[in-house]
Amino acid sequence: MSVLELNVKDGIAVITLNRPEAKNAINQAVAETMDRTLDEVESRDDVRVVVLTGAGGSFCAGMDLKAFVAGEKVVTDDKGFAGFVQARLTKPVIAAIEGYALAGGCELALSCDLIVAANNAKFGLPEVKRGLTAGAGGLLRLPRQLPYRVAMELALTGDMADAQRMYDLGLINRLVSAGAAMDGALEMARAIAANAPMSLKATKAVIARQQDWSLDEMFDRQAELIGPVMRSEDAIEGSRAFAEKRAPVWKNR
């Protein structure tokens, strides 16, 4: 049985962490397989959006501490922890979360562009309780995605936060009933996958990068990314399809 599964259908790639007996904790095998899998989905023209989830009713409990003690490498040179948190994916990624998203599992979720979570989900960075630090992006991304003092509280106490609180604070896009996270994520993924591939790529890039742009440069930097989209065949096709009251046929060019 593979520690990670990939299924592609209708423009959506579903990546499933498949170590339910360990609450999908990350070991070396998962990290290395994830690294290769992301290369594959990034290169495939039939993939427009990615969904990341976990098997067995839990998203991910973080780094496998047994693997860590045994000296396993749970980071990859190109993509960091789990072969994921430092990846430069141009395609949108949705986290579908049931159960625990803790430590490195929470950092995986923070690395995604969108989050759909079941109301039984738990989030947290408990590294300080283990003599560790949340070095896989949690301390960097959490203050950008939550209010400063909330991020500080979660990081310093190591306590868990429930899905309702995280939804109320804007960390979660959609809150669904227990067992429905994948259905909710696929519904969102289908809405995204119906859109023009070039437009999706440029839109994600602008939103992800704009926070580091100055007021003087932001429109010029945006123009660099969206210019090819506005001049593309798909721009004409989208406008023509709207006028003709039909679904567009995207060519990704």
Side-chain angles (χ1 to χ4, degrees):
M1 182 177 68
S2 175
V3 296
L4 187 147
E5 296 181 351
L6 171 66
N7 292 285
V8 178
K9 182 179 179 181
D10 299 330
I12 302 167
V14 176
I15 299 174
T16 305
L17 300 169
N18 193 33
R19 299 188 69 219
E21 75 287 352
K23 297 192 184 305
N24 302 312
I26 305 300
N27 61 9
Q28 184 168 338
V30 173
E32 292 176 348
T33 307
M34 179 71 79
D35 190 298
R36 295 192 298 270
T37 300
L38 294 187
D39 286 342
E40 178 181 346
V41 299
E42 182 69 9
S43 67
R44 289 180 61 162
D45 290 338
D46 62 332
V47 173
R48 295 183 184 175
V49 59
V50 179
V51 175
L52 177 66
T53 194
S58 190
F59 182 66
C60 177
M63 176 175 66
D64 187 322
L65 296 181
K66 293 180 181 179
F68 173 69
V69 171
E72 290 191 25
K73 186 179 180 183
V74 295
V75 303
T76 67
D77 293 337
D78 289 338
K79 301 180 183 68
F81 174 73
F84 188 91
V85 301
Q86 293 175 247
R88 301 275 184 162
L89 285 177
T90 63
K91 298 170 183 180
V93 184
I94 305 169
I97 299 176
E98 300 273 352
Y100 294 116
L102 300 177
C106 184
E107 291 171 306
L108 285 177
L110 296 173
S111 304
C112 296
D113 302 301
L114 302 153
I115 297 177
V116 175
N119 56 20
N120 67 349
K122 300 289 186 181
F123 297 80
L125 297 175
E127 282 86 347
V128 292
K129 295 178 181 288
R130 308 286 183 264
L132 305 169
T133 53
L139 303 183
L140 303 172
R141 291 186 168 116
L142 202 64
R144 295 187 176 201
Q145 299 180 27
L146 285 175
Y148 173 86
R149 287 180 177 81
V150 175
M152 192 68 80
E153 175 189 352
L154 289 173
L156 292 179
T157 65
D159 291 342
M160 291 188 292
D162 62 36
Q164 183 65 57
R165 187 183 186 206
M166 294 297 94
Y167 176 76
D168 292 341
L169 290 169
L171 188 73
I172 296 170
N173 294 88
R174 297 184 185 179
L175 188 63
V176 298
S177 59
M182 178 55 70
D183 289 341
L186 289 175
E187 179 183 17
M188 181 182 285
R190 284 190 288 268
I192 293 171
N195 297 323
M198 290 181 66
S199 299
L200 293 175
K201 179 178 178 179
T203 297
K204 172 175 172 172
V206 171
I207 292 176
R209 300 176 192 178
Q210 56 76 31
Q211 60 190 345
D212 297 320
W213 296 345
S214 71
L215 291 175
D216 291 336
E217 68 177 344
M218 63 184 186
F219 277 98
D220 289 337
R221 297 289 294 275
Q222 176 181 257
E224 294 174 5
L225 294 169
I226 71 172
V229 178
M230 303 304 290
R231 297 187 295 270
S232 69
E233 291 183 31
D234 279 351
I236 300 301
E237 167 62 10
S239 300
R240 181 176 291 133
F242 177 79
E244 295 174 357
K245 296 182 173 57
R246 60 174 175 81
V249 179
W250 307 121
K251 298 181 180 178
N252 197 21
R253 61 176 188 263

